[in-house]
Amino acid sequence: MRTPLRVLAFVSALAAAFALAWGGGRLVGPLDTEPVAHEGAAHGDDASHDDEAASHADHSSAVAEATGLTARADGFTLALADRTPAAGRTRLDFQVLTSSGRPLLDYTREHEKDLHLIVVRRDLTGFQHVHPRLDRSTGTWSVDVRLTPGVWRVVADLVPEGWEGITLADDVSVAGDFTPAALPADDRVAQVETDAGTYTVTLEGDTAPGASTVLTTRIELDGEPVTDLEPYLGAHGHLVAMRAGDLGYLHVHPEEGPAGPGIDFATAFPEPATYRLFLDFQHRGQVHTAAFTVESGGAPADGSSDGSGDGSGHAEGGDHDH
């Protein structure tokens, strides 16, 4: 073949290859970000639509898991100012950092607060649910807590503006003599002694792992049902669940209902384990905390405990801000 013809053939082949590559790039490149209707739904295929909905339902019931196992999640980091605070009443300072290392300043308010902070010793004693204040000039959150010697878990529950909710957690160590407390046995009845009398709180509901459930707490004062609970953080009660061992944090959502004696909470226990549950409720202007130990292993909660236990039914902490 003559040289001009060879050059012409080469150029033609190159052009064809370029066109094919360009077309292929269009086919395998970034997909359109706009939602596309399911093919079956677009053609009125109800069966396909139902199958897809069932698939989503199965997935949602299978993703229940504990959070708060790390100080970093979704590009956000919990940065504690002092990891060795002193025992007694002390101030915790911290920042929530973005992926760029800057303090997060904008939050979506949930249950009337921009950030909920849980502080509990690693043997699941000394529970405190507090609400720090943000210094927007520095991006630093601050709150006073009471700490005893031992290792404490600091859990921040928050919703960055424009994001889903996240849970960040880290430890602080408090110097001093420390003897860990034994975790109380499974007990669905807790008693809280107050100046107003004795609150008896029972926990009912299925605690089998892996499925969504509704837990109901029922509150009595000196044997009489409490029907005038006061709103606390936008609900008649708040329940925090933590897994013994790694202190995994479960999201528990209060459901709307009357002001007692029962309060319903939607949650899920992700796996067989021992969990410690802390109920905050407000009555006659005071916030009280009742604590339960729950073994999630498939047996439904029947509330049959006689409450004798070994100390599980006492108020934990008491450091609430209003």
Side-chain angles (χ1 to χ4, degrees):
M1 183 181 293
R2 296 181 180 179
T3 300
L5 293 178
R6 289 178 179 176
V7 172
L8 180 59
F10 174 76
V11 171
S12 299
L14 183 63
F18 176 77
L20 179 62
W22 183 83
R26 294 275 293 187
L27 290 174
V28 302
L31 300 177
D32 194 344
T33 57
E34 290 297 320
V36 179
H38 187 271
E39 183 177 357
H43 292 82
D45 189 346
D46 293 337
S48 298
H49 179 77
D50 290 344
D51 289 343
E52 182 181 3
S55 174
H56 284 299
D58 291 342
H59 178 70
S60 64
S61 64
V63 297
E65 61 181 16
T67 60
L69 298 175
T70 176
R72 167 175 276 183
D74 296 333
F76 297 95
T77 303
L78 175 64
L80 300 171
D82 184 2
R83 299 177 63 87
T84 56
R89 189 171 185 87
T90 188
R91 193 175 81 172
L92 287 182
D93 295 323
F94 63 93
Q95 294 177 324
V96 177
L97 303 179
T98 66
S99 58
S100 65
R102 297 178 180 177
L104 177 66
L105 298 179
D106 299 313
Y107 299 78
T108 298
R109 180 159 291 197
E110 188 173 56
H111 296 305
E112 300 184 349
K113 298 292 181 179
D114 285 347
L115 185 146
H116 297 262
L117 197 73
I118 304 300
V119 181
V120 64
R121 208 167 66 175
R122 273 203 163 265
D123 58 359
L124 290 171
T125 63
F127 174 87
Q128 296 159 71
H129 176 180
V130 294
H131 303 99
R133 293 185 178 182
L134 175 63
D135 181 349
R136 294 187 62 87
S137 66
T138 63
T140 299
W141 292 91
S142 302
V143 68
D144 287 342
V145 294
R146 290 189 179 92
L147 304 179
T148 55
V151 179
W152 289 74
R153 193 69 168 164
V154 179
V155 182
D157 190 344
L158 61 130
V159 183
E161 188 175 82
W163 289 71
E164 298 292 330
I166 59 173
T167 307
L168 308 172
D170 206 349
D171 288 347
V172 296
S173 298
V174 181
D177 294 334
F178 165 60
T179 301
L183 191 67
D186 190 313
D187 194 350
R188 310 300 172 92
V189 178
Q191 290 189 332
V192 183
E193 301 290 342
T194 72
D195 293 339
T198 300
Y199 289 93
T200 300
V201 187
T202 59
L203 177 70
E204 302 173 357
D206 189 357
T207 58
S212 298
T213 187
V214 174
L215 301 177
T216 300
T217 59
R218 298 189 181 278
I219 304 173
E220 295 181 351
L221 176 58
D222 293 334
E224 296 297 326
V226 175
T227 58
D228 57 346
L229 291 170
E230 298 159 358
Y232 175 57
L233 301 175
H236 287 125
H238 291 272
L239 190 65
V240 170
M242 305 191 77
R243 186 169 57 200
D246 61 4
L247 271 60
Y249 179 89
L250 302 187
H251 285 276
V252 184
H253 305 283
E255 299 187 348
E256 293 185 7
I263 314 172
D264 291 338
F265 299 93
T267 189
F269 295 92
E271 62 184 19
T274 302
Y275 298 86
R276 191 74 166 153
L277 276 57
F278 304 91
L279 170 69
D280 288 337
F281 63 94
Q282 181 169 310
H283 188 230
R284 298 180 180 177
Q286 297 294 320
V287 177
H288 307 290
T289 304
F292 308 89
T293 300
V294 168
E295 297 287 349
S296 175
D302 58 11
S304 60
S305 171
D306 61 7
S308 57
D310 53 357
S312 63
H314 64 274
E316 293 280 348
D319 216 355
H320 304 274
D321 62 353
H322 301 277

